Amino acid sequence: MWWTTPRCPVRPVEQTWIEHSLDWLLTEFGEQRLRATVLLPTEEHFPGAYEGTTGDVETLVYRLCRHMGVDPARIEVEHGEPDHDPGLAAHVPLHTSWQGAAGHFRTRAGRAVLAIRTDLTARPMALVATVAHELGHVLLLGDGRISPAREDHEALTDLLTVFFGLGIFSANAAFDHRREVRGGYAYTSRTRLGYLTEPMYGYALARYAWLRDEPHPPWATHLDANPRAFLKRGLRYLSAVRPPTGPGTPGRG
């Protein structure tokens, strides 16, 4: 036959994990959260000039707290210099500290501590993604929904940002490829942020859109080329193998 059934953009084990995890997030946080606003990197959702100041960062944290339903009074923001470990710096620009063998969520006087590297403020897309990830820790670990001993808790926290309408930022920040010229020499840098790959973000966003009855999500235009391509592949796959079963009940099986 000259045509083939569209293929899922991720491996079967990743597909199963994404689908089951999104179903779990839907059970935990509900239909209203699923259908809430998808935040976009636009003036409408992030109004005002951004200059990377401490005040700008704290305003951003407050805005994301409100969007994600986290009481800002629970959050304490710390600002610090970049870590000198290049491996750590490439992967954890904003981090939650853990203590003890069991890995307890770091709190101070009953508040969750978000430590933000000063150099991250120059990358607003990555800043939004990583603040959202850390607020996800508050919802999952701080509220006792999962244990820090759970092996996939970091990946699940990245997936939560998709479910909470912040997947554009997480997917766009997942892989950063830059080329710059300094002193007459060209330098290329590649950094990976987070715990999901671009294909996983693409399929997660596709499944998220499908659950929201959005076979052609308007927000997809804000995705970078790679995650947008994986999103489209995921949607083609879902439309072929899991057609909608009626209003409000897309192919969730």
Side-chain angles (χ1 to χ4, degrees), residues 91 93-94 114 120 125-135 170 193:
H91 292 273
L94 172 77
L114 272 62
L120 186 64
M125 186 74 70
L127 178 63
V128 172
T130 47
V131 170
H133 178 93
E134 294 309 303
L135 294 179
S170 299
L193 178 68

Side-chain angles (χ1 to χ4, degrees), residues 239-250:
S239 66
V241 301
R242 299 182 181 180
T245 55
T249 56

Side-chain angles (χ1 to χ4, degrees), residues 7-10 171 197-207 223-238:
R7 297 180 61 183
C8 185
V10 295
T197 64
E198 287 182 317
M200 291 178 73
Y201 271 120
Y203 186 64
L205 286 162
R207 182 69 194 275
L223 287 167
D224 289 347
N226 281 352
R228 185 168 69 250
F230 290 120
L231 163 69
K232 290 179 178 179
R233 284 178 56 187
L235 285 171
R236 285 197 297 270
Y237 167 78
L238 289 169

Side-chain angles (χ1 to χ4, degrees), residues 23 32 37 45 62-63 79 98 104 118 133 142 149 187 199 201 247 250 253:
D23 289 346
Q32 184 175 359
T37 300
H45 292 153
Y62 178 79
R63 182 171 289 124
H79 301 266
W98 302 84
H104 298 291
T118 53
H133 178 93
Y187 294 87
Y201 271 120

Side-chain angles (χ1 to χ4, degrees), residues 178-189:
R178 299 186 183 188
R179 187 178 185 276
E180 57 182 314
V181 177
R182 298 193 302 269
Y185 294 93
Y187 294 87
T188 299
S189 64

Side-chain angles (χ1 to χ4, degrees), residues 57-78:
V57 172
E58 294 185 355
T59 297
L60 172 64
V61 172
Y62 178 79
R63 182 171 289 124
L64 292 181
C65 280
R66 295 293 298 270
H67 174 76
M68 297 179 71
V70 176
D71 183 355
R74 299 178 61 189
I75 305 301
E76 181 177 341
V77 179
E78 286 185 346

